[in-house]
Amino acid sequence: MKKIAIVCGGYSGEYEISVKSAKVVKQHLNPEEYESYIIVIQKDSWYHLAEDGTRTIIDKNDFSITMDGKKITFDGIFNAIHGVPGEDGQLLGYFEMLGLPYTSSNFTTSALTFHKEFCKTIAAAAGANVSPSIIINKGEKYDKTKIIKTLGLPLFIKPTRNGSSVGVTKVHDEEEFDVAVGNAFSAGDQLMCEKFVNGRELACTVMSVKGKMMVFPITEIVSKNEFFDYEAKYTDGKSDEITPADLDETSEIEVKATSAMLYEKFECRGFARFDYILTPKQLTFIEVNIVPGMSEASIMPKQAAFMGISLDKLFGMALENIF
């Protein structure tokens, strides 16, 4: 029986969501095939979290734990960390050095796609349409009047390296700009001002299983807040997620084809969720999530369920890929 470390936690505002995802993964892994352990990653401590709350410190030399006098090493890693350091490549580089296989995209893909501006640049080079943006580094002077003139209002201000809409603000006028900048810098040292695209928000998951690509049904996200912010993502009743999205055939083909193309261009592995804004004129790529939400209420599991794929099967497929 293979021993699997389900890593979760991390250093970002997505910590609690990540721990919840890990618990869902553990609940749905086949206990006859996998002996799974929840491993919490924090800046000052890495530890195994037992069901009774007992913590056992990880030996970072080989990513092992010792329980009841017995050393336990892992055959593979199920990456359930949303954000830093599991989705940005840092932890994955460590696993690469140890020779431990893991479920998500590799550390190079993770680092590039987690940086929103780098991700958009690569997507644009591959032929996808992206929204114009301007970068501001912490401590750097900026001309908000000029930025607003260039991008128009409303516009989004967001950290370049964060997830779950943490630190993101929709700016409607010049008076809101500086507060939004401060909000973004509270979550990172670099931000992007991005032109607002008014359209339908769509999400499409792609997964490779033993070398074969699967494109999941498309979901339309209708936020009851002003945009799909942290509250709308994780509070019941704050958004409607419609799967499959009611799209004409041409739009559906474009979303799925673009997602499949970008999956290959980014050299993704396992599952990845691609997010877009669709207007009557064009499809605009926003970002890709290489560690998407994994609870029953998350978008990717709902898409899989529509295809008849249970969480047990979905998570099992993710692990089948690495062995």
Side-chain angles (χ1 to χ4, degrees):
M1 185 181 294
K2 287 184 166 57
K3 292 181 173 63
I4 304 298
I6 307 169
V7 296
C8 63
Y11 314 155
S12 72
E14 300 176 273
Y15 177 91
E16 295 295 340
I17 303 303
S18 173
V19 173
K20 286 181 181 178
S21 286
K23 290 178 178 177
V24 172
V25 172
K26 181 174 177 60
Q27 179 187 343
H28 288 277
L29 284 183
N30 185 347
E32 294 181 2
E33 291 186 44
Y34 304 110
E35 189 176 307
S36 59
Y37 299 77
I38 291 181
I39 306 297
V40 179
I41 305 294
Q42 297 179 326
K43 277 190 175 179
D44 57 352
S45 179
W46 295 11
Y47 58 88
H48 165 246
L49 179 65
E51 290 185 21
D52 64 1
T54 303
R55 299 182 178 188
T56 305
I57 298 300
I58 288 279
D59 181 346
K60 295 180 184 178
N61 291 303
D62 59 1
F63 200 69
S64 66
I65 53 176
T66 301
M67 298 173 69
D68 300 323
K70 182 183 176 183
K71 182 174 179 175
I72 298 170
T73 56
F74 301 104
D75 299 298
I77 310 294
F78 197 113
N79 185 9
I81 297 182
H82 312 301
V84 180
E87 201 168 4
D88 68 343
Q90 293 183 53
L91 189 62
L92 307 180
Y94 163 77
F95 291 141
E96 289 275 355
M97 289 190 292
L98 292 179
L100 284 171
Y102 50 88
T103 53
S104 59
S105 296
N106 66 32
F107 68 94
T108 305
T109 295
S110 302
L112 288 171
T113 57
F114 192 69
H115 191 293
K116 290 180 171 61
E117 185 68 14
F118 292 170
C119 182
K120 285 171 54 179
T121 300
I122 296 168
N129 182 63
V130 300
S131 183
S133 53
I134 294 170
I135 294 293
I136 303 175
N137 294 298
K138 202 165 193 174
E140 187 176 83
K141 290 184 179 179
Y142 59 87
D143 186 337
K144 59 185 174 185
T145 304
K146 185 177 179 180
I147 292 171
I148 290 170
K149 186 177 180 181
T150 301
L151 300 177
L153 287 172
L155 59 80
F156 279 106
I157 292 181
K158 58 180 77 171
T160 55
R161 299 176 72 254
N162 218 315
S164 287
S165 299
V166 175
V168 177
T169 306
K170 187 176 180 181
V171 174
H172 302 85
D173 54 52
E174 193 167 324
E175 286 70 33
E176 296 176 350
F177 197 95
D178 293 332
V179 174
V181 166
N183 184 38
F185 280 142
S186 70
D189 292 332
Q190 187 186 68
L191 63 79
M192 63 192 294
C193 307
E194 187 174 54
K195 184 178 178 66
F196 170 68
V197 180
N198 188 18
R200 300 169 67 183
E201 186 163 354
L202 305 174
C204 181
T205 301
V206 180
M207 183 178 189
S208 58
V209 184
K210 297 294 185 181
K212 294 183 179 179
M213 186 184 293
M214 297 172 58
V215 181
F216 290 23
I218 301 163
T219 297
E220 179 170 8
I221 301 154
V222 182
S223 175
K224 294 180 182 177
N225 288 0
E226 192 165 14
F227 66 97
F228 197 41
D229 58 9
Y230 187 93
E231 182 187 44
K233 282 182 167 79
Y234 301 115
T235 306
D236 288 342
K238 286 292 185 178
S239 66
D240 293 323
E241 294 163 5
I242 304 157
T243 306
D246 183 14
L247 297 173
D248 60 80
E249 186 178 13
T250 301
S251 297
E252 181 179 355
I253 290 171
E254 184 179 10
V255 172
K256 289 183 175 180
T258 303
S259 300
M261 180 271 290
L262 290 175
Y263 185 94
E264 290 191 327
K265 290 292 184 183
F266 287 132
E267 298 183 3
C268 294
R269 288 195 322 221
F271 35 63
R273 196 193 77 226
F274 297 83
D275 297 344
Y276 304 91
I277 300 294
L278 177 67
T279 71
K281 291 184 177 181
Q282 62 189 6
L283 180 70
T284 300
F285 168 73
I286 302 299
E287 63 183 6
V288 56
N289 296 274
I290 61 141
V291 186
M294 299 174 197
S295 72
E296 291 91 337
S298 299
I299 293 170
M300 178 185 66
K302 286 180 179 177
Q303 294 172 342
F306 186 80
M307 298 172 72
I309 301 172
S310 66
L311 285 179
D312 302 42
K313 179 65 175 173
L314 182 66
F315 299 148
M317 285 160 50
L319 284 174
E320 285 170 20
N321 273 337
I322 69 175
F323 296 120

